[in-house]
Amino acid sequence: MRRILLIMIFTISLSAMLPALEAAGEPAAPRREVVSIRHWTAPEHTRIVLDMSSECVYQVSERSGPDRIVIDIPGGDLAGGLGRLEIKDGVVDRVRVNSLAKGAQVVLDLPAKTRYRHFALKPNDIHRRHRIVIDVDRTITVKERRSETEKARLVAQSGDYIVIIDPGHGGSAPGAPSKFGPSEKYYTLPLAKMIAAEIEQHKGFKAVLTRTGDYDVEWHRRIEVAREHGGHCFVSIHMNSNKNRRIKGSEVYFLSPEGATDMHATAVAERENMQIRMEDRGELIDG
Ligand SMILES: [Zn+2]
């Protein structure tokens, strides 16, 4: 409850800041170019990210016959070499781009109408560009949902000790950069799979991963996975990075079931929960 409460408090303080940030604005950008388009397929949605040369006004609309989602960027244009992107993952067939007199247009062709969300992100230490993100939901049938629930229930009622392994980041959230090149998300997943395989070797233990591929998983979904599978412990794996190369070693964060016991512990818990919230927004570089 303390964790949930702290996250909520931080969220509220962020939203209270938003009007001031918007009012401050930014100097007019010389170009409104769609620089690149990236995509990831997750079990429950497909994420499309438009990397932009500057902060842009954009409009998203739904069209039918055939079903599609259209993103219009008034006054925008397209970087050279940007073309059609075939996805065909059952949620989005392809991404097309159109250069129109009124601006740039990106079209997501869908095999069927479905729900979607969109939001804009500002640059941060990891992502140097403004981004427009569109999450298109996979339509999950009642039968599929029941089957997933049943699988989770069987794990929860197995009588085994259930270890939830949470590979940090994924998809459009790469996590901390490494000096070797690949970012954090590429290390956390194989490591999580190795740990899960080791746990499964021991009788009476079961391991459940919160993600099994390179895709975004929101924090609330990671927690849901743990609850649905009756997790006894939750191990979230991250690889921190620091500009000071002399710093080595590992860090372990844990939440006491009794809650914070003094001022210092309260401060640590608060910092941890703020970190979780910031990572969720992809704003942290040190893991
Ligand atoms: Zn991390």
Side-chain angles (χ1 to χ4, degrees):
M1 179 53 79
R2 177 176 293 275
R3 171 176 295 218
I4 292 166
L5 190 65
L6 286 168
I7 290 172
M8 282 173 64
I9 289 167
F10 187 62
T11 309
I12 290 164
S13 66
L14 260 182
S15 49
M17 281 161 60
L18 283 176
L21 286 173
E22 279 168 10
E26 281 189 7
R31 299 170 78 188
R32 297 170 182 171
E33 192 177 72
V34 184
V35 179
S36 54
I37 301 176
R38 299 173 291 149
H39 68 93
W40 292 269
T41 299
E44 299 197 351
H45 73 275
T46 295
R47 171 163 287 190
I48 310 288
V49 175
L50 313 185
D51 296 308
M52 308 299 300
S53 62
S54 61
E55 190 165 27
C56 298
V57 172
Y58 70 97
Q59 291 138 10
V60 182
S61 54
E62 254 179 293
R63 313 274 169 84
S64 55
D67 292 309
R68 58 204 193 276
I69 297 167
V70 177
I71 304 109
D72 281 302
I73 299 141
D77 58 348
L78 305 166
L82 212 57
R84 170 186 288 237
L85 196 62
E86 292 292 332
I87 298 179
K88 291 211 178 293
D89 61 1
V91 179
V92 177
D93 279 342
R94 72 190 62 77
V95 180
R96 292 183 285 119
V97 291
N98 296 318
S99 194
L100 307 176
K102 63 178 180 178
Q105 186 179 69
V106 178
V107 181
L108 315 185
D109 286 327
L110 311 176
K113 182 182 161 77
T114 184
R115 291 175 5 154
Y116 65 94
R117 295 165 299 287
H118 61 86
F119 52 95
L121 293 173
K122 291 177 186 292
N124 57 35
D125 285 329
I126 294 171
H127 302 281
R128 303 289 174 179
R129 296 196 180 281
H130 284 273
R131 286 149 289 150
I132 298 170
V133 181
I134 302 102
D135 282 338
V136 187
D137 282 350
R138 176 180 295 279
T139 303
I140 298 177
T141 63
V142 174
K143 194 178 166 191
E144 284 171 331
R145 183 69 72 193
R146 271 202 201 123
S147 163
E148 287 301 312
T149 307
E150 181 60 12
K151 269 191 231 165
R153 192 184 63 80
L154 288 174
V155 172
Q157 295 181 353
S158 63
D160 289 338
Y161 190 89
I162 313 298
V163 183
I164 309 295
I165 315 270
D166 176 48
H169 310 278
S172 65
S178 80
K179 64 177 178 180
F180 307 108
S183 52
E184 191 180 349
K185 68 173 184 176
Y186 292 109
Y187 294 99
T188 56
L189 182 59
L191 182 58
K193 285 181 174 174
M194 281 166 60
I195 295 169
E198 180 63 33
I199 287 170
E200 292 282 343
Q201 298 288 317
H202 297 270
K203 197 172 182 316
F205 286 84
K206 270 196 173 58
V208 175
L209 294 171
T210 56
R211 74 172 170 99
T212 55
D214 181 22
Y215 48 81
D216 296 79
V217 185
E218 299 289 342
W219 253 104
H220 68 84
R221 181 60 200 147
R222 294 174 196 254
I223 294 163
E224 273 173 15
V225 169
R227 289 192 174 141
E228 287 164 2
H229 291 82
H232 292 95
C233 81
F234 186 97
V235 182
S236 192
I237 298 171
H238 289 258
M239 311 277 175
N240 289 359
S241 77
N242 196 300
K243 285 175 183 165
N244 182 351
R245 292 186 172 213
R246 289 184 179 180
I247 292 179
K248 293 190 187 308
S250 59
E251 286 178 298
V252 177
Y253 291 95
F254 68 94
L255 194 68
S256 159
E258 289 79 37
T261 50
D262 57 28
M263 287 287 282
H264 176 70
T266 303
V268 170
E270 203 161 327
R271 196 183 67 174
E272 182 200 6
N273 285 306
M274 280 176 73
Q275 177 163 325
I276 288 167
R277 185 64 205 156
M278 288 177 78
E279 282 194 330
D280 199 17
R281 295 166 57 86
E283 290 173 357
L284 196 75
I285 61 161
D286 59 347

